[in-house]
Amino acid sequence: MDVRRADERYPGGDRSAGIESWHAFSFGPHYDPDNLRFGALIACNEERLAPGAGFDEHPHSHTEIVTWVVEGELTHRDTAGHETVVRAGDVQRLSSAGGVRHVERNDGDAPLTFVQMWLAPRDPGGEPSYEIVRGIADSTPYAVPEAGAMLHVRRLAAGERTAVPDGAHVYVHVVRGAVRLDGEELGAGDAARVTAAEDVDAVAVTAAEVLLWEMS
């Protein structure tokens, strides 16, 4: 198990424009050949946008982009004609496939925090697609078959235990609270990369919200 702390993330964004970014993997000018991906996962970015701030229209291709809002509301628009407001508890996925452009903004009055995760598809190309699942239920898996991956959401009360999925690659990201995983305590923003996961449990030290990627 490889534990990565929140304060080890690469800083990014533009604070003067109300954008603060924290990257778990090699990203943009922060090139690290030893931290390019884990399983299918190639990015796990925590983004914080002040009211009125956002990312202007920009392109993506050959990437599965999954977004989880922590607090606030995210406005999404793309060149395939989708316009959506994503709220806490929703799972949004944009399959950029052969190419798509999109805008991400905080059009609300409150600060916005979201976690955005990029996965490499098994087969590049194809037509872009979009999906949003409103208020996904706890422990309901969300499949991204194009990347051979499954997202599990766990919302735990203090002291509650949950099984970590078995898998060749399992990525555990703590959204809020604290959990103990295989003897290591993980706080908000911390992550663990578990290789050949089998019979691993997570126990909530406090009330916690955790995202787990199960990958082949």
Side-chain angles (χ1 to χ4, degrees), residues 65 82 91-95 129-133 142-143:
I65 303 169
H82 305 104
V91 173
Q92 175 187 258
R93 178 167 64 96
L94 176 64
S95 295
S129 63
Y130 178 85
E131 181 177 42
I132 185 165
V133 177
Y142 179 78

Side-chain angles (χ1 to χ4, degrees), residues 27-184:
F27 200 95
H30 299 286
Y31 177 69
D32 182 352
D34 296 322
N35 191 24
L36 297 177
R37 66 186 292 169
F38 178 73
L41 199 61
I42 57 175
C44 180
N45 305 332
E46 183 181 284
E47 308 286 0
R48 302 172 188 173
L49 302 182
F55 300 99
D56 293 332
E57 187 175 292
H58 57 281
H60 287 282
S61 61
H62 315 305
T63 311
E64 299 294 314
I65 303 169
V66 177
T67 304
W68 180 261
V69 171
V70 180
E71 60 181 0
E73 297 183 345
L74 171 66
T75 297
H76 164 95
R77 293 189 294 274
D78 64 47
T79 51
H82 305 104
E83 182 168 351
T84 316
V85 175
V86 189
R87 301 177 177 88
D90 300 340
V91 173
Q92 175 187 258
R93 178 167 64 96
L94 176 64
S95 295
S96 60
V100 69
R101 300 177 68 87
H102 74 155
V103 175
E104 297 165 297
R105 296 196 55 80
N106 179 6
D107 290 333
D109 298 327
L112 165 66
T113 301
F114 63 96
V115 179
Q116 191 167 90
M117 298 151 286
W118 300 3
L119 297 97
R122 289 170 162 170
D123 300 308
E127 291 298 318
S129 63
Y130 178 85
E131 181 177 42
I132 185 165
V133 177
R134 297 291 188 186
I136 192 166
D138 188 46
S139 301
T140 300
Y142 179 78
V144 185
E146 294 84 353
M150 189 90 70
L151 175 64
H152 303 262
V153 179
R154 298 285 190 271
R155 303 175 183 92
L156 305 171
E160 188 175 354
R161 181 183 301 269
T162 186
V164 172
D166 294 345
H169 300 90
V170 175
Y171 188 85
V172 181
H173 174 84
V174 181
V175 176
R176 66 179 91 238
V179 301
R180 185 170 290 107
L181 184 71
D182 198 25
E184 289 277 355

